[in-house]
Amino acid sequence: MSNMGEVTNTIEKKLRDALAPTHLEVIDESEGHRGHAGFREGGESHFRVVIRSSAFEGQSRVARQRLVMDALREELKGPIHALSIKADTP
């Protein structure tokens, strides 16, 4: 693994396990939110996820986002302050 943080690694693992994506990017955008609500020193509070998975076939945009959020339920209660999701089919 690269030098990603613990939360980033957890997001990646949970999404891979839940949705078997063909493409997955987990981008920590926390630094851009310095001084705003939810910012923590050390980052890992604001994320953007770009994910492609056949699990999204026939699903609406909202349903796709719900699948991602369900997989990250625990993290959304704790360390994740903001999550932006782009979910497509392969």
Side-chain angles (χ1 to χ4, degrees), residues 62-75:
V62 171
R64 291 173 184 192
Q65 291 184 343
R66 193 169 294 126
L67 285 171
V68 171
M69 291 167 71
D70 283 351
L72 302 175
R73 189 176 295 118
E74 288 305 308
E75 290 65 35

Side-chain angles (χ1 to χ4, degrees), residues 20-56:
T22 56
H23 174 85
L24 177 60
E25 287 175 75
V26 178
I27 301 118
D28 183 351
E29 297 184 327
S30 307
E31 192 52 43
H33 296 270
R34 184 176 284 282
H36 300 155
F39 176 82
R40 276 195 316 276
E41 232 16 87
E44 293 212 296
S45 58
H46 296 68
F47 290 92
R48 181 158 49 101
V49 168
V50 179
I51 182 169
R52 244 177 254 127
S53 170
S54 51
F56 300 139

